[in-house]
Amino acid sequence: DVKVTQSSRYLVKRTGEKVFLECVQDMDHENMFWYRQDPGLGLRLIYFSYDVKMKEKGDIPEGYSVSREKKERFSLILESASTNQTSMYLCASSLRFWSGANVLTFGAGSRLTVL
Amino acid sequence: TQLLEQSPQFLSIQEGENLTVYCNSSSVFSSLQWYRQEPGEGPVLLVTVVTGGEVKKLKRLTFQFGDARKDSSLHITAAQPGDTGLYLCAGGLRVSNTGKLIFGQGTTLQVKP
């Protein structure tokens, strides 16, 4: 069964700490995404990557960075966590070919609490 | 900035009732997808519609893409407690080969037995 795996389901960090959220996919997908999910706001795109070492900012990149050194792995980094970054973080992947019906496969999410 | 307005945001109904969730935008999308998310899990794709006016059925769920490809609806007939969850619509933009999607705010559905 193909998967997107987020290594940490629940994290509790303190303000100012550096946080790494890891995501691995086994489907050989070119595109990978990091979304943030908050009640009433839906999913908001933080960053996406369409190839190794390539990245583009999404709608809310401030306070975040990403790393994609290998095709299967996409990491989200919070350089200095703040309380307003308490949220559910969802990683997703998809094929590169744009057929007008691109489908995202999501991980189970990482719930981050910043105290 | 493209927006996708989803309504209602919350819906609590009795088992057996019908319901419709709407997804509206001023933007034209090349595709419209519906996802369902259960607590503790990531969203899972239910359906993709790509042609204006297209209607797709998935058992008791009927999905429609507007003629102008700016809106979509999800209709559930005779809802069951197993339909409980968060329903998300997502519009596809043909701006690059990255497959970027714009998500609605989500509709939380509770079906009471």
Side-chain angles (χ1 to χ4, degrees), chain A residues 9-10 31 33 35 37 40-43 45 48 50 56-59 88 90 94-109, chain B residues 1 9-10 30-33 35 37 40-45 48-50 86 88 92-106:
Chain A
R9 292 296 303 272
Y10 301 94
N31 300 331
F33 305 81
Y35 285 90
Q37 183 174 31
L41 297 178
L43 273 64
L45 183 63
F48 64 97
Y50 51 89
E56 286 195 21
K57 293 180 179 179
D59 300 317
M88 170 68 86
L90 289 166
S94 70
L95 289 168
R96 166 175 290 179
F97 178 69
W98 176 243
S99 64
N102 205 33
V103 174
L104 297 184
T105 302
F106 284 90
Chain B
T1 302
Q9 288 197 32
F10 300 97
S30 56
S31 69
L32 202 294
Q33 299 175 13
Y35 290 81
Q37 184 179 18
E41 301 296 329
V44 175
L45 180 74
T48 300
V49 285
V50 297
L86 177 67
L88 294 157
L93 300 169
R94 198 187 294 276
V95 294
S96 69
N97 64 354
T98 60
K100 182 179 177 181
L101 296 178
I102 303 296
F103 281 86
Q105 306 98 316

Side-chain angles (χ1 to χ4, degrees), chain A residues 2-115:
Chain A
V2 293
K3 278 185 182 177
V4 175
T5 303
Q6 295 183 232
S7 55
S8 302
R9 292 296 303 272
Y10 301 94
L11 302 95
V12 179
K13 298 291 182 181
R14 296 204 173 274
T15 301
E17 280 192 81
K18 190 170 186 176
V19 182
F20 292 89
L21 299 180
E22 304 286 340
C23 175
V24 177
Q25 51 97 3
D26 64 1
M27 296 167 284
D28 202 34
H29 283 174
E30 290 84 3
N31 300 331
M32 295 190 75
F33 305 81
W34 274 106
Y35 285 90
R36 172 175 170 162
Q37 183 174 31
D38 299 288
L41 297 178
L43 273 64
R44 293 180 291 167
L45 183 63
I46 304 172
Y47 268 96
F48 64 97
S49 169
Y50 51 89
D51 204 347
V52 175
K53 297 189 185 296
M54 305 302 289
K55 61 185 180 184
E56 286 195 21
K57 293 180 179 179
D59 300 317
I60 53 165
E62 297 79 17
Y64 304 94
S65 62
V66 291
S67 173
R68 192 160 180 207
E69 296 296 320
K70 293 184 178 181
K71 188 176 185 179
E72 66 271 18
R73 188 180 297 270
F74 192 35
S75 303
L76 180 68
I77 303 155
L78 288 66
E79 293 288 342
S80 179
S82 63
T83 53
N84 63 11
Q85 292 178 309
T86 292
S87 187
M88 170 68 86
Y89 291 88
L90 289 166
C91 175
S93 70
S94 70
L95 289 168
R96 166 175 290 179
F97 178 69
W98 176 243
S99 64
N102 205 33
V103 174
L104 297 184
T105 302
F106 284 90
S110 298
R111 183 165 292 281
L112 172 66
T113 301
V114 183
L115 303 175

